[in-house]
Each structure stands twice: as C-alpha cells, then as structure tokens.
Amino acid sequence: PNVSLITSNERGDRGGSICSPWPLPVIGDGETGWGNTLNVKRTVHGYSQAGFACIMLEGQVSPKRCGHQRGKEIVSSAEAEWS
C-alpha cells in the first residue's frame, strides 16, 4: 500500500526532474494534498512549479486510508470548493 513516505516537496522535486526533459504532459499524484486546505494549495502550487501538467487529488480526509480499509471519510463540499 501507498503509505506516503515522502513529502509533497520531495515529490515536487523528483517530479521536476521527470517533467523537465520529458516532452509529454506528466500527471502528478497529489495524494490528499498533505493536510488541510492551505496544504492543498501549497501542494498544487509546488507541482505546478515543478512542471506537472496537472495533479490528481484525493477527496479523503487526511490521513487517508487504503481503499480496502474501513473508516474512510470524504472532505465536505464546502472545504473542497474553498479557494
């Protein structure tokens, strides 16, 4: 299972080294954005700066759980739409 052993900054750094020389768009896995709404904004900004074409974000409350585990919670619509 994916246990998020690296931070969003580390993913952005590694992603930049992949995106820079690659001629095709690269999609980044932003997990849950590593925390609250402000962390999500920081994650999206970092991935954009690294050169990702887009980012996938999961709507689970952090800390996220694997798909087969019980107790998963989804962020509220109000939080998801906050900008």
Side-chain angles (χ1 to χ4, degrees):
N2 184 347
V3 291
S4 296
L5 295 177
I6 64 174
T7 66
S8 64
N9 290 343
E10 291 170 314
R11 283 185 184 230
D13 292 343
R14 296 296 259 168
S17 64
I18 293 169
C19 295
S20 178
W22 191 250
L24 300 174
V26 178
I27 300 171
D29 182 0
E31 302 288 340
T32 60
W34 285 274
N36 63 20
T37 310
L38 295 175
N39 292 49
V40 172
K41 286 182 127 181
R42 185 179 302 126
T43 299
V44 170
H45 178 74
Y47 275 48
S48 175
Q49 293 297 105
F52 284 99
C54 68
I55 181 174
M56 296 182 304
L57 292 169
E58 299 178 29
Q60 284 193 46
V61 172
S62 187
K64 72 175 198 164
R65 300 181 182 273
C66 290
H68 65 280
Q69 293 179 318
R70 295 180 188 192
K72 293 181 291 295
E73 296 181 46
I74 305 298
V75 297
S76 70
S77 297
E79 185 175 359
E81 295 171 2
W82 186 83
S83 58

